[in-house]
Amino acid sequence: MADQDPGGISPLQQMVASGAGAVVTSLFMTPLDVVKVRLQSQRPSVASGKCLLYCNGVLEPLYLCPNGARCATWFQDPTRFTGTMDAFVKIVRHEGTRTLWSGLPATLVMTVPATAAYFTAYDQLKAFLCGRALTSDLYAPMVAGALARLGTVTVISPLELVRTKLQAQHLSYRELGTCVRAAVAQGGWRSLWLGWGPTALRDVPFSALYWFNYELVKSWLSGLRPKDQTSVGISFVAGGISGMVAATLTLPFDVVKTQRQVALGAVEALRVMPLNTDSTWLLLRRILAESGTRGLFAGFLPRIIKAAPSCAIMISTYEFGKNFFQRLNREQLLSP
């Protein structure tokens, strides 16, 4: 078959296999993503006497309180979350089970084409780097993963912002449209890429670490098994371990990304844009000052619980699809 990669399948078949994996992963993992975003987007209590902008993430997207002292009772919102299980229970109790899948349409619209492009780009880049001897086989997965992710992050950043808003603030699509239009009117189309920096800082290192560790663990588990016939079980274990390691190391950037994107709602409430947007490093220092090290790792448990199985499900589904198309292509070649 023309235009096939060294593994014996075409880029189109790679895209189909990865797209199917993205659908399965999204259906299972969206509730954990919702909980993670809610935990990361809530802010610590603010001292009375100050004006405050508070997003409770349940019914009304934003509250602007002109007097912190008068709002002391209101601020003790029963839906403030103290942990992962507390968030699950309160979201289901106050908003219903369906809320755990809020943002799923945007997630599917974003992840299916993005994942298809990302996995295909990774395999093609890795084959190119190894084929041209531009880097060693050991580091080719790291370089290919970083480059593939950088391109994908840039393309899907606006959809990532929309999904984060839906999950963090439980907006209707009409309210979301109003919020986005207000942001564009104030800050231009560039505002739709709000959070691109911390998203890239989270996802590009994540991808580099993930693919580097995945190929190492897979190679160690596979032994003498041919590289193009990796079993689904080996892919599942290697993907889960690699995803957990990468998610832990990049979590602070995920917190910054979430807070920056949720802050887009301030445009709707205040009708103004901040004169200067804090850099990623300034935001990291502010979170550290307000909430300590724990704040930098807010949503740790749901992110890890999500990252390990989602990476495991995604890569094993992808490898299963690749193996399926490899067998199909061989049968077509052998058939008269």
Side-chain angles (χ1 to χ4, degrees), residues 258-272:
T258 299
Q259 290 202 7
R260 180 168 283 169
Q261 291 183 332
V262 170
L264 178 62
V267 178
E268 175 68 12
L270 302 177
R271 304 295 181 183
V272 295

Side-chain angles (χ1 to χ4, degrees), residues 144-191:
L147 292 175
R149 196 62 176 178
L150 182 62
T152 306
V153 165
T154 302
V155 173
I156 69 168
S157 187
L159 283 172
E160 170 78 2
L161 184 147
V162 168
R163 184 188 66 159
T164 301
K165 296 292 292 182
L166 286 171
Q167 292 178 342
Q169 299 175 359
H170 195 34
L171 297 174
S172 68
Y173 287 98
R174 183 176 180 180
E175 291 169 333
L176 179 67
T178 301
C179 184
V180 171
R181 285 193 296 271
V184 172
Q186 292 289 338
W189 289 102
R190 185 181 176 184
S191 63

